[in-house]
Amino acid sequence: MNLRHFINGEFCDPASASWLDNMEPATGKVYAKVAAGNEIDVARAVEAAQAAFPAWADTPINDRARIMERIADGIERRREEFARAESIDNGKPLSLARRVDIPRAEDNFRFFARAITQWHSEAYDMGSRGFNYVLRRPLGVVGLISPWNLPLYLFTWKIAPAIAAGNTAVAKPSEITPMTGYLLGEVLQEAGLPAGVLNIVQGTGPSVGEAIVTHPQVKAISFTGSTKVGRRIAEVTAGDFKKLSLEMGGKNASIIFDDAHYDKALQGTLRAGFTNQGQICLCGSRVLVQDTIYDRFVADLAEGVRKLRIGDPLEEGTDIGAIVSQMQWEKDLAYIELARQEGGKVICGGAKAPAPNARCADGWFLQPTIITGLGPQCRVNQEEIFGPVVTVQSFTDEADAIAKANATPYGLSATLWTNDLTRTHRVAAALETGIVWVNSWMVRDLRTPFGGVKQSGIGREGGFEALQFFTEPKNVYVDLG
Ligand code: NAD
């Protein structure tokens, strides 16, 4: 199967006539070919987006919203097909894609279809002198770049607000997980999205991503991915002063105080550590436990991890699927080795996992791993691993917990487990993160601002913040004198 570009409402082959291998992580085998796009494809996509912009920006909001609802309906109708494609592409359990990723992608379109009909801008009455109002107009052509871990969900989380606000877009899914982005093109055709409003260009970051972000007609970039690539995008676009939203890496802490509801904290910490093989930017990869319950908690956490079923992602009952790529698999293993060198103790896991069945004989499977004995400054506690590898440290009191939680360059999210009301508010305020969950993990109200601080991000996505990002405010003063 060849995964082609979707440009100007049509599927097309890459200008280079070259194709990249698309691997299935569970089998380690090529299962499709993906277009190796380049700057020629990007230029065509930008041209199509520019041509489509005036009419789309002028399309009544209710009509835009109706088309977006039809896109959501299209994904919903084909939910099983999308979930399977995402599981094969990414290695994640099919049950997770079916339950979380794909329904959330549908919701992204529905949410912003509704949000745009409720959005309004400000007017300021200045009495007999005059009045001021704020026009919020779409930017034009925007560039949208997403990673491999939640392929359709994060892709649509950018697309939906961008087109709802009246922009046209050139979007690039990760070359590691291009399948759902490709299928989305079919849904766009079925839903009647006008040609050129959303163009999907497949290919690698250096050849397609960089061509998108540096194209002079691309006015703003919304990127989700690693801090390294986010920094590169900030550098290459600085001279043009492009509007940027960068959602980047994380090294998130799960903080467990001894007054927390023990079982809920344990189950929540397990889920936060290992869902999607630990490959969610919000995963709690550093567990901090109060010293009074440390030994018991570590033992119970390890027991919970040992019970997780590593399996064929397509089989029911699988908790831990395959690691997304051979490169990521080797990176995870290298960090486990580094942890040992740094003096860490592997409490459970720590090695490749045997293939769960014959189909998966050459797949990239890893035992979910817990490591103790590493201080906050060790590399394993400082650098994002992005796999099923979790460290546990102890802390003495509130101040120590906050200091350890904040001791990384990242600042995406944190999870706090406690039943002390005033402590909750004190610690939530003191954590240097964009998101804090209290006695929960990964609960989202799409209206809230989403994003990180420090090296985890600039800008915020979600709700009206996203619509603001994808529009430019113009201040108009009308004198009545
Ligand atoms: P990545 O940075 O390697 O790639 C992300 C995207 O950027 C891909 O589509 C890639 O092709 C593209 N890209 C690569 N080089 C580029 C360049 N020079 N110019 C433009 N685009 C380029 O990230 P990844 O490995 O796909 O994803 C994992 C990372 O994403 C982790 O660091 C994770 O924390 C982060 N992430 C963050 C969030 C968040 O909301 N903060 C959410 C999910 C994932």
Side-chain angles (χ1 to χ4, degrees), residues 146-148 172 175 205 209-210 223-226 229 248-249 281 384 450:
S146 61
W148 49 257
K172 188 191 100 57
E175 63 274 31
E210 197 133 337
F223 164 83
T224 300
S226 63
V229 172
M248 303 181 285
C281 55
E384 184 186 47
F450 174 93

Side-chain angles (χ1 to χ4, degrees), residues 217-275:
Q217 294 306 324
V218 172
K219 305 294 179 205
I221 293 127
S222 173
F223 164 83
T224 300
S226 63
T227 299
K228 181 168 165 235
V229 172
R231 183 174 288 117
R232 167 85 187 152
I233 291 174
E235 280 165 8
V236 298
T237 58
D240 294 324
F241 306 107
K242 291 198 186 193
K243 202 170 181 185
L244 296 184
S245 170
L246 305 176
E247 296 294 340
M248 303 181 285
K251 191 75 184 171
N252 315 304
S254 292
I255 308 163
I256 300 105
F257 284 92
D258 62 6
D259 63 72
H261 187 299
Y262 187 86
D263 290 336
K264 283 188 186 164
L266 186 67
Q267 290 313 315
T269 304
L270 197 58
R271 228 164 49 80
F274 298 99
T275 301

Side-chain angles (χ1 to χ4, degrees), residues 195-216:
V197 171
L198 175 60
N199 305 277
I200 300 169
V201 184
Q202 305 276 5
T204 67
S207 58
V208 174
E210 197 133 337
I212 294 174
V213 302
T214 54
H215 194 293

